[in-house]
C-alpha cells in the first residue's frame, strides 16, 4: 500500500563560496558557477568580488549575469561601465522596458538628465503600465522645475494607474 503522505521535497543544497571557487578553478568557463558566486557576493554587498567573478566571462554571460555585472558597477559607482553593460544587453532586445529604465537610471547617476528623460519616455512607449519609469521621469521634471510637464505626467499617471493619494498629493504640491 502506497502512503498518501509524501516526504516534503528537500530544499536544494546551499553552495558555499569555496565550492564555487573550486568549480571555477576546474572549469574557467563555468558561467553558472560564476553567476552563483556573484549572487553570494551580492548578498554581502561585495561589489569587487562580484566583478572578480563575472568579468573573466563577460563575453559569454547570459542576461542574468550581465545584470549582476551592471549591479556591481552601480555598487562601485562606476556608472559609465554600468551604462555600457546595459546598452550591450539592450542591443539584443530594444523593446526591453526594464533595461530602458535601468539605462535611464544610470544616466541620472551620471548627471545626463536629457538622455535619462529620453530613456524613461522610451520606457513609457514600450510599456505604459511600468510605474518606475513614471516616477523617475516625475523626479527629473520636478528637479528641473518643469512643473507643466510634471502636472501632465501626473494626470497621465492618475488616468493609467487610477486615483492614488500619492499622485494627488504631488499634483497639489506642484
Amino acid at each position: 500500500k502506497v502512503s498518501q503522505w509524501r516526504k516534503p521535497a528537500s530544499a536544494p543544497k546551499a553552495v558555499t563560496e569555496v565550492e564555487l571557487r573550486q568549480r571555477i578553478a576546474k572549469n574557467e568557463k563555468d558561467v553558472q558557477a560564476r553567476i552563483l558566486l556573484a549572487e553570494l557576493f551580492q548578498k554581502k554587498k561585495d561589489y569587487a568580488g562580484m566583478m572578480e567573478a563575472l568579468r573573466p566571462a563577460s563575453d559569454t554571460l547570459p542576461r542574468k549575469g550581465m545584470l549582476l555585472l551592471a549591479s556591481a558597477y552601480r555598487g562601485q559607482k562606476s556608472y559609465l561601465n554600468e551604462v555600457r553593460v546595459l546598452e550591450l544587453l539592450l542591443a539584443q532586445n530594444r523593446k526591453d522596458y526594464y533595461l530602458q529604465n535601468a539605462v535611464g537610471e544610470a544616466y541620472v547617476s551620471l548627471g545626463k538628465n536629457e538622455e535619462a528623460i529620453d530613456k524613461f519616455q522610451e520606457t513609457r512607449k514600450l510599456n505604459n503600465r511600468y510605474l518606475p519609469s513614471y516616477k523617475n521621469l516625475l523626479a527629473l521634471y520636478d528637479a528641473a522645475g518643469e512643473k507643466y510637464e510634471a502636472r501632465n505626467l501626473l494626470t497621465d499617471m492618475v488616468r493609467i494607474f487610477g486615483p492614488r493619494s500619492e499622485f494627488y498629493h504631488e499634483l497639489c504640491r506642484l
Side-chain angles (χ1 to χ4, degrees):
K1 183 176 176 183
V2 177
S3 170
Q4 66 188 126
W5 302 103
R6 296 179 186 221
K7 290 182 180 179
S10 60
K13 183 184 165 204
V15 184
T16 66
E17 181 182 337
V18 173
E19 292 170 337
L20 289 170
R21 286 188 184 275
Q22 288 172 350
R23 274 179 56 184
I24 293 169
K26 286 180 188 173
N27 181 6
E28 287 285 322
K29 296 180 181 181
D30 190 349
V31 175
Q32 288 307 108
R34 289 183 178 282
I35 290 173
L36 289 172
L37 185 59
E39 286 175 337
L40 283 176
F41 286 134
Q42 187 179 34
K43 289 176 186 172
K44 299 177 189 176
K45 297 188 186 224
D46 180 3
Y47 302 113
M50 288 173 70
M51 288 192 295
E52 175 192 330
L54 295 172
R55 255 199 236 144
S58 62
D59 56 339
T60 59
L61 287 174
R63 175 188 166 93
K64 183 178 183 179
M66 294 292 274
L67 287 174
L68 282 168
L69 185 59
S71 170
Y73 281 128
R74 175 168 279 281
Q76 293 262 319
K77 297 185 182 357
S78 179
Y79 303 118
L80 200 55
N81 285 325
E82 178 190 12
V83 168
R84 195 186 80 232
V85 169
L86 292 172
E87 287 285 357
L88 282 173
L89 270 176
L90 202 53
Q92 296 170 3
N93 182 7
R94 284 277 170 209
K95 295 185 178 185
D96 189 333
Y97 61 89
Y98 175 80
L99 285 176
Q100 291 280 0
N101 191 66
V103 172
E105 289 173 351
Y107 278 135
V108 169
S109 299
L110 279 171
K112 296 183 175 185
N113 291 345
E114 291 301 316
E115 289 90 343
I117 287 172
D118 291 342
K119 288 296 178 184
F120 295 141
Q121 287 175 342
E122 182 70 25
T123 303
R124 284 181 52 209
K125 288 177 190 170
L126 293 172
N127 183 357
N128 72 338
R129 308 253 333 140
Y130 189 61
L131 185 58
S133 66
Y134 285 87
K135 289 185 175 183
N136 289 332
L137 200 51
L138 181 62
L140 283 175
Y141 287 152
D142 195 26
E146 297 182 25
K147 296 194 183 303
Y148 176 76
E149 294 291 335
R151 279 191 207 103
N152 285 341
L153 184 65
L154 279 164
T155 54
D156 283 349
M157 291 168 73
V158 168
R159 182 178 47 79
I160 293 169
F161 299 107
R164 295 186 186 178
S165 62
E166 63 185 285
F167 301 156
Y168 287 120
H169 175 74
E170 285 295 314
L171 269 171
C172 290
R173 188 182 61 78
L174 292 174

